[in-house]
Amino acid sequence: MNEECPFCSNAATYKKIIQYSNLIWVKCNNCNGGRLKSYISELERESDTLHDVYKRYIESSRIFDKIAKEKANWLLSKWNENFIVVEIGAGLGSVAKQLREINPSIPYMAIEPNSTFADYLMGQGTKVFTGDPLVSLENAVKEVISLNKKALFLMDNVLEHVPYPTKYLNFLQSISPSGSIICIEVPNEAGLKWRAEIQDFIRGFKKPPTFPGHINLFTKRVLRYTLLKASFVNISVKYKAIRSDEQVAYLLQSEKLSLKTKLAVRFLKFIPVDYLLGIPYWLRGEAQVR
Ligand SMILES: [Zn+2]
């Protein structure tokens, strides 16, 4: 396989990380960036299953609200009146709702290519740019510039779904006002192969090692590399670990947690095994437009 790498943009060769049914995840021999071998994003795939997943998301928005507050506060720590919050892939707008509750005067706009979510957001009275992802990004940024502001971008578990993340971020960086900031959370896919084996063993049956919609696999190093390659400055990438029942409920899409799960969460608070192994569940990247 000699396809263009989504991370380093080379005509790269890949080695296989893991296979589940007909899904194969591979890793670039040049930059170590991981990807789904058949590199088709959800927007192009139009799968029924994914549509069902999103429908379920809408039904369980209460679970999202619970963890969105912490994310709203993360953004607020970067915000001042020179910024407009621009959320890319806003989904159900859970973070927007929490921002409004904390401070209703914080300006917010959403970019949401998925029409189910876009309709839902507009119904909530949110300003939404929808349609082609690059055109809507450009239009949102134009609006930020016309208001003489900078953008405070949020990509909350979105970049793993975006085709060619380095090119996308480089485009975003090139059109945005200097001093704009981006906050990115993605799943940490480090150790995917052996984590999948342990998870299958505990579960007693096989499941995909990660969500099949994750066409890009990030590790701490790969996220940093992507931001650097996209020409951002002041880059920071940190782990964000699971330490609350609300986070697990969000991941499982169910508020009914087993005692075993609850005990596991308590255990991690005392012995941070995930940090020791470099596999806390999420990564958080922050960077600035030069
Ligand atoms: Zn590469």
Side-chain angles (χ1 to χ4, degrees):
M1 191 157 97
N2 246 333
E3 278 174 57
E4 180 182 343
C5 171
F7 303 95
C8 68
S9 303
N10 285 349
T13 56
Y14 299 86
K15 59 174 166 283
K16 185 163 135 184
I17 309 171
I18 192 166
Q19 176 162 9
Y20 176 85
S21 170
N22 60 342
L23 296 166
I24 301 171
W25 285 269
V26 295
K27 191 155 113 172
C28 170
N29 283 322
N30 177 49
C31 72
N32 276 315
R35 53 172 277 189
L36 197 58
K37 189 177 177 196
S38 138
Y39 201 65
I40 303 164
S41 77
E42 288 151 280
L43 284 173
E44 296 160 277
R45 212 186 289 153
E46 281 190 56
S47 136
D48 280 353
T49 9
L50 284 170
H51 188 74
D52 291 346
V53 168
Y54 289 139
K55 266 269 145 56
R56 268 213 311 285
Y57 277 9
I58 287 178
E59 282 157 13
S60 55
S61 66
R62 215 158 56 93
I63 294 174
F64 283 75
D65 291 344
K66 284 186 180 169
I67 67 159
K69 197 182 182 84
E70 190 269 335
K71 284 175 184 167
N73 280 316
W74 176 33
L75 274 183
L76 266 178
S77 71
K78 312 280 156 206
W79 184 83
N80 62 47
E81 62 281 359
N82 298 320
F83 288 95
I84 294 181
V85 175
V86 181
E87 184 170 8
I88 301 168
L92 299 161
S94 307
V95 175
K97 201 164 118 188
Q98 297 301 324
L99 278 174
R100 265 199 308 272
E101 268 173 33
I102 298 168
N103 179 352
S105 67
I106 296 171
Y108 173 96
M109 46 180 89
I111 297 170
E112 181 48 72
N114 178 297
S115 61
T116 313
F117 284 164
D119 291 348
Y120 180 89
L121 289 167
M122 284 183 234
Q124 309 268 301
T126 303
K127 170 136 193 132
V128 186
F129 294 84
T130 188
D132 180 275
L134 291 180
V135 175
S136 47
L137 171 63
E138 210 172 356
N139 288 336
V141 170
K142 273 184 193 155
E143 177 133 347
V144 169
I145 293 169
S146 77
L147 294 165
N148 209 11
K149 303 269 187 185
K150 300 174 204 176
L152 174 55
F153 293 103
L154 172 65
M155 294 185 88
D156 176 11
N157 290 273
V158 164
L159 198 59
E160 67 274 24
H161 303 268
V162 173
Y164 300 98
T166 300
K167 279 188 180 160
Y168 180 84
L169 289 179
N170 191 45
F171 175 69
L172 178 147
Q173 186 277 136
S174 71
I175 60 171
S176 297
S178 172
S180 293
I181 293 173
I182 189 160
C183 294
I184 299 174
E185 184 179 288
V186 288
N188 177 16
E189 316 265 17
L192 189 67
K193 189 179 159 59
W194 57 265
R195 269 196 299 143
E197 277 162 17
I198 294 170
Q199 281 159 4
D200 287 344
F201 175 74
I202 294 170
R203 207 186 291 116
F205 60 93
K206 278 189 172 293
K207 263 181 92 171
T210 186
F211 187 63
H214 295 179
I215 56 172
N216 307 309
L217 304 180
F218 288 97
T219 61
K220 205 174 179 186
R221 219 177 62 94
V222 171
L223 181 56
R224 171 174 288 280
Y225 174 81
T226 305
L227 286 164
L228 203 64
K229 189 95 178 152
S231 307
F232 282 91
V233 294
N234 298 329
I235 298 164
S236 129
V237 178
K238 289 178 181 153
Y239 291 128
K240 174 74 189 168
I242 292 176
R243 287 297 181 271
S244 75
D245 291 348
E246 283 76 20
Q247 290 168 316
V248 183
Y250 161 83
L251 291 173
L252 299 176
Q253 290 299 297
S254 164
E255 288 172 292
K256 293 183 206 85
L257 301 183
S258 70
L259 181 61
K260 197 165 96 180
T261 308
K262 288 185 177 182
L263 287 174
V265 174
R266 303 288 172 283
F267 173 75
L268 283 173
K269 284 184 193 167
F270 292 104
I271 306 170
V273 182
D274 48 356
Y275 276 92
L276 299 173
L277 296 172
I279 55 161
Y281 202 89
W282 292 283
L283 300 167
R284 280 192 177 175
E286 298 172 3
Q288 206 177 14
V289 176
R290 83 169 81 231

